[in-house]
Amino acid sequence: MIIGKKHYWLLQVFGWGCFFLWHIFGAWSVDRMNSPEERLIITQRAAGFALLGIAMTHVLRIVILKLGVLAKKIAIQIWLFLLLTLLMSFIAGTAEFFIYKQLGLFIKAEERIFHKSLLLILLNNALAWFSYFIIWSAVYFIYHYVSAAQKAQIDTLKLKSHIKELELKTIKTHINPHFIFNALNGIRAMVDENPQRARSAITELSNILRSSINIDKSETVALSDELDIIKDYLALEQMRFEDRLQVAYEIDPQTINKPVPPMMLQMLVENAIKHGISHEVNGGLVEIKSAIEGKTLELSVENTGCLKPQQKGGGFGIRSIRERLQLMYGDHAHFEINQSEPGKVRTKLTLPASI
């Protein structure tokens, strides 16, 4: 938030209040050569210094947020913090001089110096402000860096926990019992009439089950590996649907080695068959596509059918996809499901093209 939260203002007042007290201590206790009038001027200046410090650092914070500095790479963040701090120091130093001059808050010794070199005093002011602002910037930078690191660690733990939950539900949701039952029945029917196809089907089923069980071994897999599982899955489903299930692939060669969350695209294909093809009397087509669009990887599954209202919110599968994307990529990944055209439903994943 631009305005700032309560603890931010408490820290602002505390920090600049300490600088104010430090100036007062120097004026009243250390430098005993100052006259009472000069001590009063220094006290007034210290109060103005603290108020100006609060105002200028708040402006600095607004600029940092507006420019999205904290979202950039660490090296760029550091350079931007230094440049903005330097710029704000010159502005504060110049503002301090003219405010104090207007209010008559200079002691005689300083006035004699100003007549000799205005530029020198402005540079001196800027240097003094830079020493304070660089401390403020360092604290602000470190606070957000540590907060971001803690958030990333928490998100990683959540992701691992979520993947564990996903593993426990995989037989029920990813590769559901009905699919296994249908696949085994299809294999049994082919044992006598087509032994070679039956052996291939057993291998395909084994590959799918192995992938679903090993889903927690890594956060991502190559798209090519995910497609291999999908092909095994669809080959088994075609035993059940026969000519009612048509499959088409439109895969960009540039996407083959891109990392994707395991079993996520497979889940979309399964939903396409479960909610689309299985409800169509004449069956239909499942199209699986991948493409690079700028800095993003787009994966989509289109199927014959109509989108039902309850599908938009989704059951465990759709919720799982949204949660995993949020934990893994934050706002850099998106999921959508819609009626792309009459008689066709599309689900699309948008992921960062490079991680």
Side-chain angles (χ1 to χ4, degrees):
M1 294 175 62
I2 299 300
I3 296 177
K5 296 181 180 179
K6 181 179 179 181
H7 71 270
Y8 160 77
W9 285 109
L10 289 174
L11 290 174
Q12 279 279 72
V13 172
F14 174 77
W16 289 105
C18 288
F19 280 121
F20 169 75
L21 294 176
W22 180 68
H23 276 73
I24 296 300
F25 177 77
W28 290 81
S29 301
V30 179
D31 194 353
R32 298 181 181 277
M33 298 299 292
N34 289 331
S35 66
E37 292 79 10
E38 290 176 334
R39 289 179 180 176
L40 178 60
I41 289 175
I42 292 174
T43 301
Q44 293 172 329
R45 284 170 53 173
F49 168 86
L51 292 174
L52 184 60
I54 291 175
M56 295 304 296
T57 50
H58 186 61
V59 172
L60 177 58
R61 176 179 177 271
I62 292 174
V63 173
I64 290 170
L65 294 177
K66 287 289 187 181
L67 294 179
V69 174
L70 297 171
K72 302 182 184 299
K73 294 180 179 180
I74 295 297
I76 297 176
Q77 285 188 47
I78 293 173
W79 278 110
L80 287 175
F81 264 93
L82 287 173
L83 290 173
L84 290 174
T85 301
L86 187 61
L87 175 62
M88 207 60 65
S89 299
F90 277 104
I91 296 173
T94 304
E96 178 192 26
F97 174 80
F98 288 106
I99 290 173
Y100 289 177
K101 185 178 181 181
Q102 191 71 24
L103 298 177
L105 296 179
F106 289 122
I107 58 179
K108 294 180 180 180
E110 292 175 327
E111 290 178 348
R112 288 194 293 271
I113 297 174
F114 300 154
H115 290 298
K116 295 181 179 180
S117 177
L118 176 61
L119 179 60
L120 181 62
I121 198 65
L122 292 179
L123 289 174
N124 184 66
N125 282 358
L127 183 62
W129 277 105
F130 183 78
S131 65
Y132 298 126
F133 285 169
I134 199 66
I135 296 173
W136 185 94
S137 296
V139 172
Y140 191 78
F141 172 80
I142 292 171
Y143 170 80
H144 283 279
Y145 180 81
V146 172
S147 297
Q150 289 177 338
K151 184 179 182 300
Q153 186 176 22
I154 291 172
D155 285 348
T156 299
L157 292 174
K158 285 182 178 179
L159 179 59
K160 289 181 178 178
S161 174
H162 188 74
I163 290 176
K164 285 292 184 183
E165 178 187 1
L166 197 60
E167 181 188 20
L168 293 175
K169 297 183 178 182
T170 188
I171 296 298
K172 182 178 179 181
T173 56
H174 288 278
I175 312 300
N176 60 67
H178 294 291
F179 165 74
I180 297 175
F181 177 77
N182 291 329
L184 290 175
N185 274 344
I187 293 170
R188 183 179 62 182
M190 287 189 296
V191 167
D192 293 328
E193 61 184 56
N194 193 343
Q196 182 59 41
R197 179 66 187 99
R199 284 193 293 270
S200 298
I202 292 172
T203 301
E204 292 160 356
L205 181 59
S206 175
N207 290 338
I208 296 170
L209 294 176
R210 185 183 301 109
S211 296
S212 66
I213 292 172
N214 292 333
I215 191 174
D216 66 326
K217 298 296 175 61
S218 61
E219 292 184 3
T220 61
V221 297
L223 177 60
S224 58
D225 294 334
E226 182 80 351
L227 289 173
D228 287 341
I229 297 303
I230 290 172
K231 289 174 182 176
D232 287 338
Y233 172 80
L234 289 172
L236 291 173
E237 286 287 40
Q238 282 177 321
M239 291 192 308
R240 177 162 65 109
F241 289 95
E242 297 179 338
D243 293 339
R244 292 178 59 224
L245 174 59
Q246 303 297 319
V247 180
Y249 295 91
E250 192 175 314
I251 307 299
D252 186 339
Q254 297 182 66
T255 66
I256 288 297
N257 295 318
K258 295 296 181 181
V260 298
M263 302 297 286
M264 187 173 287
L265 190 58
Q266 186 277 336
M267 186 188 299
L268 296 183
V269 173
E270 183 177 347
N271 283 342
I273 294 176
K274 178 180 177 181
H275 298 291
I277 306 302
S278 64
H279 294 286
E280 298 293 320
V281 176
N282 297 320
L285 173 66
V286 174
E287 299 176 84
I288 302 165
K289 303 178 182 180
S290 71
I292 297 291
E293 295 292 339
K295 295 183 179 180
T296 63
L297 168 64
E298 293 190 354
L299 305 173
S300 64
V301 177
E302 294 184 347
N303 65 272
T304 305
C306 295
L307 182 64
K308 301 176 180 62
Q310 61 269 27
Q311 285 181 253
K312 294 183 179 181
F316 171 79
I318 298 301
R319 290 198 306 273
S320 170
I321 288 175
R322 296 186 191 278
E323 290 171 9
R324 287 172 69 193
L325 290 177
Q326 179 63 34
L327 289 171
M328 292 180 70
Y329 307 106
D331 296 331
H332 300 292
H334 305 281
F335 169 78
E336 61 183 78
I337 178 170
N338 55 55
Q339 189 81 45
S340 58
E341 58 184 79
K344 182 176 286 189
V345 177
R346 182 182 67 171
T347 53
K348 186 170 82 168
L349 294 170
T350 304
L351 311 174
S354 59
I355 300 177

